[in-house]
Amino acid sequence: MSDTTSTEVSTTSFDHRMRTDSRTDRVREILVVVANPTVSSNNNWPVGFWGAELTHPYYELTEAGFRVTIASPQGGRVEMDALSDPRDSSRWSAEDLITMGFLNTPELAALLEETPSLDAPGPVPVRGRADRGRAVTHVHLP
C-alpha cells in the first residue's frame, strides 16, 4: 500500500468516526478548570486565568455541541488576568474579539461568577483526587 493510499484510508476512517460520533444522542461533556484569583508572588499584582485559554476553547467546544462546565479549584468567582481582558486599559488583548464577546454576553459572563469547586458535589464530573487526575488535561493554545 502506498503512502498516499494509507493517508486516504486514515482520513476516510477519521471522517467516518466524526460523522458517526456527531450523530450520537449522548450528551458530550467537557470540564474546563480555570485558576481562582490570587496575588502574584513576584510582583504582588492580582492575577487570574488567561481569558483566551477559556473563551476560545469554550466557543469551539460549544459550537461543536459539547456541554461545557467551567470549574475552579476552590470554586466561587473567578477573574481573568487583567492583561487578557480586552477591556483593560493596557489594550494588551484589545483585539481578542472572542473574549470580548464572551464577557459582553450576560449568560456567559455569569458563568464566571460562581464556579463549582473540583470537590463539590453536583454538576462537576470529577469525584475525588483519582478522578481529578484523569479529568484534568493541560492544553496550550497556539
Side-chain angles (χ1 to χ4, degrees), residues 18 27-33 52-70 98 102 137 139 141:
M18 291 306 293
V27 176
R28 301 173 299 167
E29 296 185 46
I30 300 286
L31 173 65
V32 176
V33 180
E53 291 181 343
L54 168 66
T55 61
H56 291 232
Y58 185 93
Y59 172 78
E60 294 293 334
L61 292 166
T62 55
E63 285 295 303
F66 289 89
R67 182 182 320 163
V68 177
T69 299
I70 301 169
I98 292 175
F102 187 98
T137 302
V139 177
L141 297 176

Side-chain angles (χ1 to χ4, degrees), residues 19 22 24-25 32 34-35 90 108 112 120:
R19 283 195 305 272
S22 67
T24 182
D25 290 334
V32 176
V34 297
S90 70
L108 298 177
L112 306 178

Side-chain angles (χ1 to χ4, degrees), residues 53-134:
E53 291 181 343
L54 168 66
T55 61
H56 291 232
Y58 185 93
Y59 172 78
E60 294 293 334
L61 292 166
T62 55
E63 285 295 303
F66 289 89
R67 182 182 320 163
V68 177
T69 299
I70 301 169
S72 60
Q74 298 168 348
R77 187 173 193 281
V78 294
E79 298 175 15
M80 286 184 193
D81 189 272
L83 291 176
S84 74
D85 186 334
R87 304 167 298 179
D88 186 69
S89 61
S90 70
R91 305 208 28 89
W92 183 267
S93 298
E95 295 179 10
D96 184 352
L97 298 181
I98 292 175
T99 301
M100 182 67 87
F102 187 98
L103 293 170
N104 285 297
T105 303
E107 300 83 24
L108 298 177
L111 298 174
L112 306 178
E113 294 301 318
E114 191 59 40
T115 62
S117 78
L118 293 180
D119 292 324
V124 180
V126 176
R127 303 289 182 258
R129 293 185 190 273
D131 286 341
R132 188 181 308 165
R134 286 191 300 272

